[in-house]
Amino acid sequence: PNVKKKDDAARGDFETRAKSYFDERNVVPMLNALLMELFLHQPDDPIDHMLKFLLRPNTLQELSEEHASSAAKVQEYAEEAVQYANRFKLPQLFDELLAKLLEQMPEDVLRFAVSYLRWHKNDFIVRQQPTGYRAYQAGKDQQSRAKSVDAASSSSNALVEDSPAE
């Protein structure tokens, strides 16, 4: 019984510190704005889109102004937004980001989020294997193969042109 009370007290203390940290650093509005941005634009690469969004100047001020009017639009397409989030496993990505924020409690949440997303994108895709990224990656692979074929054919054409005439 004593151990359970200590565990409950520790959990309550942690929850209080976490809530306070999130409130002081405006974490919830930042995450809401990221989700709103993703649901409105539904980019092929949501992690890169989030990075670009977070790196724009005045992002936090922009959050409340630009996206407040978009909330109704997202409600209209709630089912589509949920499908998009699940296709790219965004709930898992946000869970991981929040866990790291709580673990490290950085002063600059935006900078931390940008760094985390940059450094953990590939690992996340490998571990979670979101279906949306499989289609995106297949398209990128196809473009890469097409460029390789073009480069190979242009270099073989150059060799034919440079070979001495018989």
Side-chain angles (χ1 to χ4, degrees), residues 37-89:
E37 179 76 10
L38 291 172
F39 297 152
L40 291 174
H41 298 281
Q42 297 195 6
D44 289 335
D45 188 342
I47 295 176
D48 279 353
H49 191 84
M50 285 189 285
L51 286 167
K52 290 173 186 166
F53 179 75
L54 289 171
L55 290 170
R56 288 194 318 226
N58 302 319
T59 298
L60 285 178
Q61 183 176 352
E62 192 178 298
L63 305 178
S64 55
E65 296 168 4
E66 184 178 321
H67 296 292
S69 63
S70 303
K73 184 177 178 183
V74 169
Q75 281 298 71
E76 290 177 36
Y77 304 101
E79 184 61 34
E80 184 181 334
V82 168
Q83 289 173 359
Y84 176 80
N86 289 333
R87 194 168 65 241
F88 286 98
K89 299 206 175 183

Side-chain angles (χ1 to χ4, degrees), residues 1 14 46 50 105 113 137:
F14 176 77
M50 285 189 285
M105 294 193 168
Q137 194 60 44

Side-chain angles (χ1 to χ4, degrees), residues 139-153:
K140 284 184 76 168
D141 290 346
Q142 189 174 15
Q143 288 174 346
S144 178
R145 281 192 298 274
K147 285 181 183 177
S148 295
V149 168
D150 288 346
S153 69

